[in-house]
Structure formats: C-alpha cells, structure tokens
Amino acid sequence: MANSKKETEESAAQVGTAFMRQFEDAGLGSLRWMGTAWVEAMADMNSEIVSFVADRIKEDVKTQHEMLHCKSAEDLQAAQVAFLEKAYAQYTAETGKLIKMSFDMLPGGAAGTKHTPV
C-alpha cells in the first residue's frame, strides 16, 4: 500500500533532519544560523542559474539556426563571432551577478564591507 502524503512528508523531514545532524557531527557546527533568509537566497541563486542556462540554450539554438542558413563562409564566420561575443558578455554579466548574490548571503555582505572575509 502506498504511503500517505503525511507519511511521505514526515519521512522527508526525518531524512532532512538526519542529513543536518550528519553535517553538524562532521564538525560544521550548528547550521541553524542560516535560517530561512539563507535558504531563500540559495533558492534565488539556483533560479538565476537555471534561467541563465535556459537563455544560453536559446542562444545556442538560435545560432545553430543562423549557421544552417548561411550562404557563404563569411556569413558563417560572422554568425560564430556574434555568438562568441554575446556569450562572453552574458557569461561576464552572469558571473558578476552570481558573485554579488553570493556576497550578499555572507553575514557581513549586506553591511557594505569592502573586503571579502576568507
């Protein structure tokens, strides 16, 4: 017989609790300080990454379409150069965005510090 929704949720909660306990036992200390704000920030970061990858895949497909319709080697080269330039700009912007998001998750990150604690 299949587990009820409540039993499944309780089982998932038990697994999560056991996982956190293993982290704490491994010497990472109590992770409760992270709280919901940290979890939300991680979810936002994951969402950002997934959106970026989806956008890059769209660009890949668009470029492949353009390359298939090229009439000359010059057209092909122009399509490839445009793809690389756009990819470079997008990866550079995304890296900066992810670094800022990561920095904002640090306890002192939002306070406007100028040095990243190591």
Side-chain angles (χ1 to χ4, degrees), residues 7-100:
E7 289 173 336
T8 303
E9 289 173 356
E10 288 174 359
S11 175
Q14 290 171 348
V15 169
T17 302
F19 181 72
M20 294 300 281
R21 203 171 289 128
Q22 286 178 348
F23 260 46
E24 292 171 2
D25 292 344
L28 296 175
S30 175
L31 298 177
R32 292 180 209 10
W33 61 269
M34 292 187 291
T36 57
W38 186 84
V39 173
E40 287 175 3
M42 285 300 298
D44 290 345
M45 184 176 272
N46 287 335
S47 175
E48 179 64 35
I49 292 169
V50 169
S51 295
F52 175 75
V53 170
D55 290 343
R56 289 301 313 145
I57 290 172
K58 288 177 189 174
E59 288 296 323
D60 291 353
V61 171
K62 178 182 161 196
T63 300
Q64 288 176 5
H65 179 76
E66 288 174 7
M67 289 170 58
L68 288 171
H69 290 88
C70 288
K71 304 289 184 203
S72 67
E74 291 83 16
D75 292 344
L76 180 62
Q77 184 180 21
Q80 290 172 327
V81 168
F83 171 79
L84 292 174
E85 288 174 346
K86 188 167 188 175
Y88 177 79
Q90 288 178 326
Y91 275 100
T92 301
E94 187 66 18
T95 300
K97 191 183 296 185
L98 291 174
I99 288 172
K100 182 185 180 325

